[in-house]
Amino acid sequence: MSDETDAPPLLLKGTASAGRRDLALRISIPILVIALLILVWYLYVKLSGVPPYILPGPAAVANALVSDWGTLAPALWVTTKITFLSLMLALAGGVGFAIFLVQSRWIELAFYPLAVILQVTPVVAISPLILVYAPSTQVALLICAFLVAFFPILSNMVQGLKSVDHNLINLFELYGASRWQTLFFLKLPAAQPYFMTGLRIGGGLALIAAVVAEFAAGSAGAGSGLAFRLLEAQYRLNIPRLFAALLMLSLLGVAIFAVTSFISWLALHRWHESSLKREN
């Protein structure tokens, strides 16, 4: 049996070199594009003479990020904590509810519309009610973010559990597998690509919902997140701090997407077509 060690050394060296070159391009091209956009931003501010309270330059934003770090960093931690807690709850609730729904056609017909109603109702519209009934503002923010991230995970997981090859299901039945054995050894592994798609979507939506929920809740004080710092900077016309808070939110979103994408790659890259590297 031949394996990778049987390949000629020159071929292995060329493959490794091509892989490093591809990785370098994947990293360098986005960095160059971002650097070019920052340069355009700097030149526009410099040449147009626009005042900093309208559009600050990159240097002013960087100074605000450094000087206001003591204020922005705790707010970033609050937003990050709410985002990841809501995402974890949405993962547990979405997967559990999806497993419950696919057990019976009648169960799906009875309960799936309730999840749809929660999804299509704007979180801003129901946030006042959540603020009334929640024991604290932080819990209310967590509930709002959970509701937004929950449905994409649920819908993708239901689709994945229902998309299993029926020939394989019949094979499991032929060998006398129980319903739970079929679920754990066939349906859940086959639904992994759909789950990973829901994870990536839910991660971004959890962050968006955490920010929007804080806007709606109007939370303030030491336990406030980056959304309140954005509003505070706007009211005080501290536009450099506003841009710095926006930058931190963007970087947090990129980090969440990178982490969820890496988890998806770890789970799928050895067997699923969407993650396998092709030669053509």
Side-chain angles (χ1 to χ4, degrees):
M1 180 182 295
S2 62
D3 56 19
E4 204 172 81
T5 59
D6 298 328
L10 289 177
L11 180 59
L12 290 176
K13 185 177 180 180
T15 303
S17 177
R20 288 193 296 268
R21 186 164 55 249
D22 180 67
L23 179 62
L25 288 175
R26 287 175 178 269
I27 295 174
S28 61
I29 290 178
I31 292 177
L32 288 175
V33 171
I34 293 174
L36 179 61
L37 291 176
I38 293 176
L39 179 62
V40 171
W41 175 17
Y42 169 78
L43 292 176
Y44 175 77
V45 171
K46 193 76 173 177
L47 297 176
S48 66
V50 61
Y53 58 85
I54 300 295
L55 179 63
V61 174
N63 289 333
L65 186 62
V66 173
S67 61
D68 296 333
W69 181 255
T71 301
L72 295 176
L76 174 65
W77 168 243
V78 171
T79 301
T80 304
K81 183 171 62 176
I82 292 173
T83 300
F84 277 96
L85 283 176
S86 62
L87 180 59
M88 294 300 105
L89 291 175
L91 288 174
V95 172
F97 197 46
I99 293 173
F100 171 70
L101 289 179
V102 299
Q103 298 306 307
S104 167
R105 177 65 176 169
W106 295 107
I107 292 177
E108 183 178 358
L109 289 174
F111 290 98
Y112 194 73
L114 298 177
V116 175
I117 291 172
L118 286 176
Q119 173 64 20
V120 300
T121 304
V123 68
V124 177
I126 62 175
S127 57
L129 283 176
I130 296 175
L131 284 169
V132 170
Y133 296 119
S136 66
T137 302
Q138 297 298 315
V139 174
L141 298 179
L142 187 61
I143 293 173
C144 290
F146 162 79
L147 290 176
V148 174
F150 169 76
F151 187 78
I153 297 170
L154 170 66
S155 59
N156 278 279
M157 197 65 191
V158 169
Q159 186 66 28
L161 292 172
K162 293 171 65 176
S163 299
V164 181
D165 190 343
H166 285 273
N167 293 320
L168 294 176
I169 295 177
N170 294 335
L171 181 64
F172 268 65
E173 292 175 352
L174 179 65
Y175 280 95
S178 66
R179 174 179 293 186
W180 292 108
Q181 286 175 324
T182 304
L183 173 67
F184 283 109
F185 295 109
L186 175 61
K187 291 185 176 181
L188 286 178
Q192 275 191 41
Y194 297 86
F195 170 77
M196 293 303 167
T197 300
L199 173 64
R200 289 196 298 270
I201 297 173
L205 289 179
L207 175 60
I208 295 172
V211 174
V212 173
E214 192 170 2
F215 280 149
S219 62
S224 59
L226 278 175
F228 170 74
R229 298 304 171 190
L230 283 170
L231 292 175
E232 181 187 44
Q234 177 192 357
Y235 295 148
R236 297 182 177 183
L237 287 180
N238 191 345
I239 307 303
R241 177 189 284 189
L242 191 150
F243 270 76
L246 282 175
L247 176 63
M248 296 175 76
L249 279 175
S250 299
L251 293 177
L252 176 59
V254 171
I256 291 172
F257 180 79
V259 170
T260 53
S261 297
F262 180 68
I263 293 173
S264 176
W265 178 82
L266 282 180
L268 304 177
H269 79 283
R270 292 184 181 275
W271 64 276
H272 195 257
E273 286 293 326
S274 64
S275 299
L276 291 175
K277 181 175 289 187
R278 298 180 178 88
E279 294 182 359
N280 55 349

